[in-house]
Each structure stands twice: as structure tokens, then as C-alpha cells.
Amino acid sequence: MEQKISYTLGDDLIAGVITAAVMSEKRRPGLWQDMLRALDRGAAKTSEGTANAFLFRAMLDRLLEEFHAGEPEK
């Protein structure tokens, strides 16, 4: 029996990603709000319109990039 795939990310993971992104930037007033607005913009560009879909797609794209980088050249 195959495991059901979940495309829903936990709140802790989403909060961790946002926090890491904020901590990666130079500190300035309004940074948290700007980061949350960026997340909202990214979410709005997905067909589902959610932060889950946006971050899931980002992780998928990065995994596929790494996967293809390790393929032998033809």
C-alpha cells in the first residue's frame, strides 16, 4: 500500500522558513511585514493561492535542480 502524499506544510515549518529568511536579511524596520507580503505575493501566483503551495513548489523546484545537477552528462 502506498503512502498518501501530503502537500500541506506544518505551521512550524512555514514559521521557520519565514524566520530564516528574515534572519538572512539586513535588519531594518518593517522587514517582517515585507517578508510576509512577499510570501503573500508568491502564494497568490500559485493555482491554489496558498503559502503551502508556494513553499512546497519552491522545495520541489530546488530538489529537482539538485537531482538534475547530479545526473551524468549525456
Side-chain angles (χ1 to χ4, degrees):
M1 179 188 291
E2 287 189 36
Q3 290 285 345
K4 181 180 177 190
I5 297 174
S6 173
Y7 299 98
T8 303
L9 307 178
D11 290 341
D12 289 343
L13 178 58
I14 293 173
V17 168
I18 295 167
T19 301
V22 167
M23 300 306 262
S24 297
E25 294 292 318
K26 182 179 176 190
R27 307 298 183 275
R28 61 174 175 74
L31 178 59
W32 280 93
Q33 292 84 359
D34 291 345
M35 195 64 70
L36 291 172
R37 277 193 283 276
L39 180 62
D40 284 341
R41 281 193 311 272
K45 293 176 184 176
T46 67
S47 59
E48 298 86 353
T50 65
N52 271 318
F54 174 66
L55 294 174
F56 184 88
R57 185 70 216 185
M59 290 188 302
L60 176 60
D61 290 348
R62 181 63 184 99
L63 176 58
L64 289 172
E65 178 184 319
E66 193 63 34
F67 173 77
H68 291 293
E71 289 182 337
E73 291 189 28
K74 296 179 183 177

